[in-house]
Amino acid sequence: MKAIIYSPNTDRSKLAREIRRIERDILRMGALVEKSFRLSHQAFFSRDLKAAEEVPLLDKQIDRFYKKIELDCTVIMSLQPITSQDLRSVSAFMQLVRDLERIGDYAKDIAEITIKIFPYPPHSSLPEIARMSHHAQAMLATSLVALADLDAVGGRSVKRLDDTVDDAYEHLYQTLAHQRDVPGVIEPILLLVLVLRCLERMADHATNIGQRVAYIVTGQR
């Protein structure tokens, strides 16, 4: 992982080490969020209830990382002196881990929906929704690689990828909303719409992460 460059100042070496440690913790948290997303996908599209049960356990680990990183960032921001670059990085970290935490929450939501929708037969739109999910996962992976490399160009590229997820969301939402002659109860349709919303929001948070990486590197929003 590329570390942020600091001026050679022994008085600031401890601060530099603390910031690098936070970077490493964020990437560990990101790996857990990626795993949670993959498991929620497996649970929903493979009707894997065991995978669905694993996601809430991962979410607890993600939440612990979130609270620890947020506290560590708060401590650093209270230190004096702190450069504008340090402040920019740490404040972006605090926002970035919130995006990761929310993606983990949505993965848990999808796992819970898996259990509710399990008794119903698979819907014909599932292959399209699965492609939307794969694309959102690729966006998250791209944003985390950009973070690991402190790559502003890679971070900004995630925003362009989001258009595909938004288009899929709109198309699938309209398809489900206007479905006629639905046999039996409409609960499975409503649950599918909720999954679409989760995936759309996960992609938005992945976009945010990429944008925050670019801000860390360039100082431009």
Side-chain angles (χ1 to χ4, degrees), residues 177-196:
H178 294 92
Q179 184 172 338
R180 298 183 179 182
D181 302 323
V182 178
V185 298
I186 64 168
E187 183 182 29
I189 302 297
L190 297 177
L191 293 173
L192 287 174
V193 170
L194 289 176
V195 169
L196 291 181

Side-chain angles (χ1 to χ4, degrees), residues 162-202:
D162 192 41
D163 291 341
T164 301
V165 172
D166 288 341
D167 290 344
Y169 172 77
E170 183 62 28
H171 168 70
L172 286 162
Y173 179 87
Q174 292 299 326
T175 299
L176 294 173
H178 294 92
Q179 184 172 338
R180 298 183 179 182
D181 302 323
V182 178
V185 298
I186 64 168
E187 183 182 29
I189 302 297
L190 297 177
L191 293 173
L192 287 174
V193 170
L194 289 176
V195 169
L196 291 181
R197 181 57 177 165
C198 288
L199 293 172
E200 190 267 340
R201 292 300 298 141
M202 292 162 103

Side-chain angles (χ1 to χ4, degrees), residues 20-92:
R20 286 196 293 270
R21 182 176 60 79
I22 290 173
E23 290 175 342
R24 290 192 292 269
D25 280 348
I26 292 172
L27 289 173
R28 292 187 185 105
M29 178 182 177
L32 288 175
V33 172
E34 280 193 289
K35 182 178 180 180
S36 182
F37 199 160
R38 287 195 301 270
L39 277 173
S40 69
H41 179 101
Q42 177 183 335
F44 188 77
F45 296 103
S46 299
R47 301 171 69 84
D48 185 342
L49 294 182
K50 183 177 180 180
E53 292 171 353
E54 290 183 50
V55 177
L57 302 177
L58 272 178
D59 190 59
K60 291 181 179 179
Q61 297 180 52
I62 292 167
D63 287 344
R64 284 195 292 269
F65 260 114
Y66 170 60
K67 292 174 183 177
K68 179 181 183 298
I69 294 168
E70 188 176 55
L71 178 60
D72 289 344
C73 288
T74 301
V75 170
I76 285 179
M77 292 177 74
S78 68
L79 297 176
Q80 295 295 332
I82 182 169
T83 68
S84 58
Q85 182 178 356
D86 293 336
L87 183 61
R88 182 174 78 224
S89 299
V90 174
S91 62

Side-chain angles (χ1 to χ4, degrees), residues 101-193:
E101 192 269 341
R102 290 301 296 138
I103 293 173
D105 284 346
Y106 285 120
K108 185 175 71 170
D109 289 344
I110 292 174
E112 291 172 353
I113 291 170
T114 296
I115 296 170
K116 292 179 181 178
I117 207 170
F118 186 81
Y120 300 104
H123 192 272
S124 60
S125 66
L126 284 181
E128 285 186 85
I129 301 175
R131 285 193 290 273
M132 180 181 174
S133 175
H134 280 305
H135 198 84
Q137 289 177 71
M139 290 174 64
L140 174 60
T142 300
S143 70
L144 289 173
V145 169
L147 175 62
D149 294 338
L150 289 177
D151 178 5
V153 175
R156 289 198 179 102
S157 72
V158 183
K159 185 174 178 61
R160 294 192 294 273
L161 299 173
D162 192 41
D163 291 341
T164 301
V165 172
D166 288 341
D167 290 344
Y169 172 77
E170 183 62 28
H171 168 70
L172 286 162
Y173 179 87
Q174 292 299 326
T175 299
L176 294 173
H178 294 92
Q179 184 172 338
R180 298 183 179 182
D181 302 323
V182 178
V185 298
I186 64 168
E187 183 182 29
I189 302 297
L190 297 177
L191 293 173
L192 287 174
V193 170

